[in-house]
Every structure is written in structure tokens, then in C-alpha cells.
């Protein structure tokens, strides 16, 4: 795998995680989870994490590919992530939390494997 492929995969996973956090930040989807705190403070934290992950996703794409192809890769990753999150939120809303954690963990694993030269 080349560095650009790993960067695009990390972008997709980060975008998936960020949109899952933003989806969970709405009272409707957070209220579907039993036993979770539906306070405005918790929702604000999820919004901040989601927006920070989106900013980091954009930073990866623009840093690796430059402004022209980096934005193209970014919009492709965002489109794919939005369709996946919408599908999961519509048919299996309980899967949003694991998806947010798995996406962030996978992106960190890809970045560290690339940095260490494993892949």
C-alpha cells in the first residue's frame, strides 16, 4: 500500500468517526441509547470532538496531496462516510457508538503503522 492509499483510508475512518459523533450529538439519536446522559454538556462535547476530527481529516488530505487533489480526496471520503452513517443511523442506531470508536481507533492504527513503516 502506498502512502496516499493509507492516508485516504485514514481519512475515511476519521470522517466516519466524526460524522458518527456529530450524529450522536443530536438529542434524538443520543436519547435512543439507554443509560446515556442526554445533557447539553455531553452533546456539546460530542460536537467538539466531531468537528475536531473533521478538521483533522481535512488537514491530512491537504497535507498529503496538496490543495487540488487533497480536497477531491476529502470530499470523496466525506461522501462515503455520510452515506455509511446515514445507513447505520436509519437501520441500526445502536451501532453509532461502536462505529465512532472503531473509526477513530482504526485511523490511529493506520497512522501509527504508516509512521513505523509496518505497511
Amino acid at each position: 500500500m502506498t502512502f496516499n492509499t493509507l492516508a485516504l483510508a485514514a481519512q475515511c475512518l476519521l470522517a466516519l468517526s466524526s460524522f458518527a459523533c456529530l450524529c450522536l450529538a443530536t438529542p434524538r439519536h443520543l436519547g435512543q441509547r439507554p443509560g446515556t446522559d442526554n445533557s447539553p454538556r455531553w452533546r456539546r462535547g460530542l460536537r467538539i470532538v466531531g468537528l475536531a476530527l473533521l478538521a483533522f481529516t481535512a488537514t491530512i488530505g491537504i497535507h498529503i496531496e496538496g490543495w487540488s487533489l487533497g480536497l477531491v480526496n476529502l470530499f470523496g471520503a466525506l461522501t462515503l462516510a455520510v452515506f455509511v452513517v446515514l445507513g447505520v443511523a436509519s437501520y441500526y442506531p445502536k451501532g453509532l457508538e461502536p462505529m465512532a470508536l472503531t473509526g477513530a481507533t482504526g485511523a490511529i492504527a493506520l497512522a501509527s503503522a504508516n509512521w513505523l513503516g509496518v505497511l
Side-chain angles (χ1 to χ4, degrees), residues 25-47:
T26 60
R28 177 181 176 194
H29 292 293
L30 191 60
Q32 291 176 348
R33 299 289 302 157
T36 55
D37 186 19
N38 199 0
S39 67
R41 185 176 182 190
W42 181 251
R43 290 194 314 260
R44 188 177 317 117
L46 282 172
R47 260 188 236 121

Side-chain angles (χ1 to χ4, degrees), residues 3 13 34 37 41 44 46 56 58 69 71 76 81 88 104-105 116:
F3 185 68
L13 289 172
D37 186 19
R41 185 176 182 190
R44 188 177 317 117
L46 282 172
F56 188 59
L69 286 177
L71 288 177
V88 170
T105 306
L116 294 173

Side-chain angles (χ1 to χ4, degrees), residues 25-95:
T26 60
R28 177 181 176 194
H29 292 293
L30 191 60
Q32 291 176 348
R33 299 289 302 157
T36 55
D37 186 19
N38 199 0
S39 67
R41 185 176 182 190
W42 181 251
R43 290 194 314 260
R44 188 177 317 117
L46 282 172
R47 260 188 236 121
I48 290 171
V49 168
L51 291 175
L53 287 173
L54 274 179
F56 188 59
T57 304
T59 304
I60 289 174
I62 293 169
H63 178 71
I64 300 298
E65 293 284 344
W67 281 97
S68 58
L69 286 177
L71 288 177
V72 172
N73 286 343
L74 173 67
F75 288 129
L78 293 179
T79 303
L80 177 68
V82 164
F83 283 131
V84 171
V85 168
L86 282 176
V88 170
S90 298
Y91 296 108
Y92 188 65
K94 293 180 182 179

Side-chain angles (χ1 to χ4, degrees), residues 90-102:
S90 298
Y91 296 108
Y92 188 65
K94 293 180 182 179
L96 285 174
E97 264 182 54
M99 185 179 6
L101 293 174
T102 305

